[in-house]
Amino acid sequence: MTRVRADDYEAKRQTILNKAAALIARKGFDVATMMDVAKACGASKSHLYHYFPSKEDLLYAIVHEHITSQATELNRIVAQPLPAEERFEQFVDTFMQGAARSRNEHLILMNDIKFLPKAQLDQIRRLEANLTELMEGLLREINPEFMAEERLQKPYALLLFGMMIWTFSWYRRTGSITPHELAQRISTLFVHGFKALPQALN
């Protein structure tokens, strides 16, 4: 007989994901144990395994939900009937705000997906590649002549993602620059260049 899920199943599952993300982001996947996660959740290991059969399944759920949520919103932005530069700015802003809001999940995506089994890792890599392709398309729209040479398309998109992704190794949203302001400055810096930055911001 199929076991009926409790009404609060999804809420409890999300609590586990949130607590686990905070723990893994702080300690690292290789150091954090399922017992650590269970203690953080105020639950038993058996309760945890009811939701996630293994630590790797828990890791996969954390990063998959984070990047899927990002992809849904970024695809929506790119599909809007707006000028390319405006969609580009929205894309960067949404990515930065989402990473700041979900910093634990973002750090895990940066540092710990290497511990996933190959099949799950490949799925996450495909999702990341899809986001890169979205950015490549926007950059081609902004400057089709500059992006006409195929060998340059992916490097420029990856340069931008590298700037955004690794920012969160040091950035805190409680600092003097808000995520929105930081996103604006990244957009301006990338599109207009450092030398023209003062004029572009005025």
Side-chain angles (χ1 to χ4, degrees):
M1 179 181 294
T2 303
R3 184 174 181 176
V4 177
R5 286 185 175 181
D7 291 339
D8 61 351
Y9 179 91
E10 289 301 331
K12 288 182 176 178
R13 180 179 182 276
Q14 191 59 52
T15 296
I16 294 170
L17 289 175
N18 294 343
K19 296 285 189 181
L23 181 70
I24 293 170
R26 187 175 75 254
K27 297 185 69 172
F29 179 81
D30 53 336
V31 175
T33 67
M34 288 295 266
M35 180 58 75
D36 292 333
V37 177
K39 287 179 180 178
C41 295
S44 64
K45 279 178 67 176
S46 60
H47 175 80
L48 218 60
Y49 285 123
H50 173 62
Y51 292 87
F52 303 100
S54 70
K55 192 167 75 159
E56 288 74 19
D57 287 320
L58 177 58
L59 174 63
Y60 177 73
I62 291 169
V63 295
H64 185 266
E65 291 193 11
H66 175 64
I67 198 170
T68 299
S69 175
Q70 276 187 327
T72 298
E73 185 62 14
L74 296 175
N75 272 285
R76 182 194 65 78
I77 289 168
V78 172
Q80 293 179 109
L82 296 171
E85 283 198 32
E86 189 171 336
R87 283 179 284 136
F88 175 87
E89 290 172 1
Q90 285 191 32
F91 188 109
V92 173
D93 186 50
T94 297
F95 186 93
M96 296 299 290
Q97 300 251 26
R101 187 170 53 249
S102 304
R103 187 171 184 271
N104 291 328
E105 292 81 357
H106 182 82
L107 290 175
I108 292 169
L109 190 60
M110 287 169 56
N111 299 321
D112 294 301
I113 60 171
K114 63 188 176 213
F115 296 107
L116 287 172
K118 185 178 184 306
Q120 292 180 332
L121 178 59
D122 288 346
Q123 290 181 44
I124 298 300
R125 291 300 191 201
R126 281 194 292 271
L127 289 168
E128 291 178 326
N130 288 340
L131 296 187
T132 304
E133 289 168 7
L134 285 177
M135 180 51 67
E136 286 179 40
L138 279 177
L139 294 176
R140 279 195 299 271
E141 287 188 65
I142 291 171
N143 194 334
E145 182 179 353
F146 190 67
M147 292 290 282
E149 194 171 352
E150 187 175 349
R151 70 184 183 88
L152 296 176
Q153 294 174 9
K154 190 175 295 296
Y156 274 102
L158 291 175
L159 278 169
L160 176 61
F161 272 113
M163 186 190 306
M164 294 192 297
I165 288 168
W166 287 98
T167 291
F168 289 90
S169 64
W170 57 265
Y171 176 73
R172 301 292 188 278
R173 64 185 303 180
T174 55
S176 59
I177 301 178
T178 67
H180 177 64
E181 181 187 351
L182 184 59
Q184 286 184 313
R185 291 183 176 275
I186 288 173
S187 294
T188 302
L189 179 64
F190 195 84
V191 173
H192 299 285
F194 185 75
K195 187 175 180 180
L197 193 59
Q199 295 87 345
L201 286 172
N202 291 330

